[in-house]
């Protein structure tokens, strides 16, 4: 061994001793896989901003177990096939955790890859019940699943509109159908039967045929399962064609982009939302920091922020960034403090507590329904 190499090795060992191990200078790579292109990109962009803000805050506070977080982003375009490709790419990059995916269909397609490879996946927005019913050990979410959300809407509709004619309309996606069916199940369990159940095709621009069916049946309430794009067009066309039925939906409409599409026709729309930042004290400081950077905290921004938080807190509790140890910490029933409130997980990887409640659109804002 040369004298130069001896001095270099000695210096390296000295640094390792000073900092308690080489990990002090290491990075931990996490993945973030969202829909960042196409018609649903606004959702993924919300999540990307949430991840970036959380990582910045955690790194500024010293990182996770002495390691700085570095993020690898992936765009699945909301397509299940592309989501599989992104998942395999994340595996090749040896990420410790993946925050994502955005849409339920893409998330369901990617989940088995992460589970097989022992990589933690925490989705901020995929609510499909089926996602956590397959016995995966590394799959979690910060959002609440469809049946928990559907129970809130279904109970409200049964209590307030039991003598009215109720229709369900869903957009054929995993999310839309799952949400509509969960709400319908809760309504039926309360002894109320719907008058109609209709399906629309995402991407269409004219929903006159569906609206004509609803008008012919004198529908009083429309529950919509789907995302804001089609919801905005459907509602606007309903109003233009004289159908004044109460419009109710889920968290897919919790986006300013919905108001941009529907305009004043969206006034009075009811939607279920989980711990919106407008009413959540736990979000106050982070919301202020985001707004100072001109970042809108609405939609799934804070759910993505919370996904990074809950992983980081579990890693600190485990004393390791190793996915198996972190997954065990997440499943031990502990409450982890996040920007959307305390989160604890059951054996399936679902949140044990739901903050879902009903809200009403008042202009571009939302207000709780008493």
């Amino acid at each position: 061994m040369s004298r130069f190499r001896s001095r270099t090795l000695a210096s390296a060992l000295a640094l390792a001793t000073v900092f308690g191990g080489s990990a002090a200078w290491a990075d931990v790579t996490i993945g973030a896989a969202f829909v960042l292109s196409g018609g649903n990109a606004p959702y993924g962009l919300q999540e990307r901003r949430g991840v970036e803000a959380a990582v910045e805050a955690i790194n500024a506070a010293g990182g996770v177990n002495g390691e700085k977080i570095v993020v690898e982003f992936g765009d699945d375009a909301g397509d299940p096939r592309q989501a599989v490709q992104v998942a395999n790419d994340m595996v090749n990059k040896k990420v410790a955790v993946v925050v994502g995916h955005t849409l339920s269909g893409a998330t369901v397609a990617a989940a088995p890859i992460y589970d097989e490879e022992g990589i933690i996946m925490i989705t901020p927005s995929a609510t499909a019940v089926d996602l956590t019913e397959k016995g995966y050990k590394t799959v979690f979410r910060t959002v609440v699943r469809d049946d928990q959300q559907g129970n809130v809407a279904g109970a409200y509709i049964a209590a307030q509109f039991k003598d009215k004619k109720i229709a369900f309309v869903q957009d054929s996606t995993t999310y839309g159908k799952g949400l509509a069916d969960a709400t319908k199940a809760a309504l039926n369990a309360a002894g109320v039967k719907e008058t109609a159940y209709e399906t629309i095709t995402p991407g269409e621009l004219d929903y006159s045929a569906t609206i004509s069916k609803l008008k012919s049946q004198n529908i009083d309430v429309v529950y919509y399962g789907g995302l804001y794009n089609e919801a905005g067009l459907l509602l606007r066309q309903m109003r233009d064609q004289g159908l004044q039925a109460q419009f109710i939906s889920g968290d897919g409409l919790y986006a300013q982009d919905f108001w941009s599409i529907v305009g004043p026709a969206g006034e009075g729309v009811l939607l279920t939302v989980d711990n919106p930042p407008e009413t959540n004290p736990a979000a106050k400081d982070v919301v202020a920091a985001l707004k100072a950077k001109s970042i809108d905290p609405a939609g799934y921004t804070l759910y993505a922020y919370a996904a990074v938080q809950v992983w980081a807190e579990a890693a600190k509790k485990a004393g390791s960034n190793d996915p198996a140890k972190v997954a065990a910490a997440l499943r031990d029933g502990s409450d982890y403090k996040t920007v959307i409130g305390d989160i604890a997980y059951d054996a399936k990887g679902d949140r044990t507590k739901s903050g879902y409640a009903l809200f009403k659109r008042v202009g571009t804002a939302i207000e709780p329904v008493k």
Side-chain angles (χ1 to χ4, degrees):
M1 181 182 291
S2 72
R3 251 197 213 165
F4 176 77
R5 288 184 63 195
S6 296
R7 287 197 301 268
T8 301
L9 179 58
S11 298
L13 289 172
L15 284 172
T17 300
V18 169
F19 289 102
S22 59
W25 286 102
D27 293 337
V28 55
T29 302
I30 71 172
F34 306 129
V35 50
L36 298 174
S37 58
N40 291 312
Y43 292 115
L45 293 172
Q46 290 170 359
E47 292 171 326
R48 176 168 184 147
R49 288 191 289 266
V51 166
E52 290 171 336
V55 168
E56 180 181 358
I58 292 170
N59 281 342
V64 180
N65 294 325
E67 296 184 327
K68 183 180 74 173
I69 303 173
V70 176
V71 189
E72 289 282 351
F73 286 98
D75 175 18
D76 65 20
D79 180 359
R81 291 170 298 181
Q82 192 161 324
V84 169
Q85 296 174 3
V86 171
N88 284 319
D89 186 46
M90 293 297 176
V91 170
N92 291 334
K93 290 176 179 175
K94 302 185 185 306
V95 299
V97 60
V98 172
V99 178
H101 294 226
T102 305
L103 303 184
S104 286
T107 310
V108 168
I113 297 171
Y114 298 127
D115 194 66
E116 183 178 346
E117 296 295 332
I119 295 173
I120 296 171
M121 182 192 78
I122 307 175
T123 172
S125 51
T127 57
V129 173
D130 189 47
L131 174 64
T132 48
E133 291 293 330
K134 297 180 182 297
Y136 297 137
K137 299 301 182 186
T138 63
V139 173
F140 304 86
R141 46 184 152 201
T142 52
V143 72
V144 177
R145 47 192 262 175
D146 285 333
D147 51 354
Q148 293 169 299
Q149 183 174 184
N151 286 342
V152 174
Y156 180 85
I157 296 170
Q160 300 296 323
F161 302 104
K162 62 181 180 181
D163 298 323
K164 300 295 184 180
K165 292 185 176 181
I166 302 161
F168 286 87
V169 181
Q170 50 97 349
D171 69 355
S172 308
T173 65
T174 302
Y175 166 74
K177 185 178 187 305
L179 184 58
D181 289 350
T183 305
K184 177 181 176 297
L187 180 72
N188 295 161
V192 181
K193 185 76 169 66
E194 71 280 1
T195 300
Y197 187 102
E198 302 290 340
T199 301
I200 64 172
T201 302
E204 288 186 349
L205 300 177
D206 184 359
Y207 298 113
S208 297
T210 298
I211 295 169
S212 293
K213 288 182 183 179
L214 300 178
K215 288 180 67 177
S216 70
Q217 297 174 85
N218 297 314
I219 294 299
D220 300 299
V221 179
V222 172
Y223 184 88
Y224 179 75
L227 300 175
Y228 72 88
N229 309 63
E230 288 75 22
L233 290 173
L234 175 65
L235 178 54
R236 197 174 68 193
Q237 291 173 29
M238 282 172 51
R239 299 297 184 250
D240 288 345
Q241 294 176 43
L243 181 57
Q244 300 301 320
Q246 174 65 60
F247 199 86
I248 307 176
S249 189
D251 54 1
L253 272 60
Y254 182 45
Q256 292 305 323
D257 300 89
F258 170 71
W259 190 262
S260 300
I261 294 171
V262 76
E267 191 75 23
V269 164
L270 301 179
L271 64 158
T272 42
V273 184
D274 176 45
N275 287 322
E278 296 94 326
T279 60
N280 182 9
K284 182 179 178 182
D285 293 341
V286 172
V287 166
L290 290 171
K291 287 184 174 180
K293 295 182 178 181
S294 299
I295 297 174
D296 182 0
Y300 294 108
T301 304
L302 297 185
Y303 292 90
Y305 194 109
V308 180
Q309 279 185 308
V310 79
W311 168 78
E313 291 304 309
K316 291 175 185 176
K317 182 178 181 184
S320 170
N321 297 339
D322 175 73
K325 294 179 181 178
V326 178
L330 286 171
R331 290 182 182 277
D332 71 3
S334 299
D335 278 334
Y336 291 97
K337 294 191 177 301
T338 78
V339 72
I340 59 172
D342 289 357
I343 291 179
Y345 288 106
D346 62 18
K348 296 178 181 179
D350 288 315
R351 283 171 47 185
T352 58
K353 304 170 186 175
S354 168
Y356 267 106
L358 201 69
F359 290 80
K360 178 173 69 174
R361 275 279 181 186
V362 180
T364 58
I366 60 172
E367 294 181 355
V369 174
K370 297 181 180 179

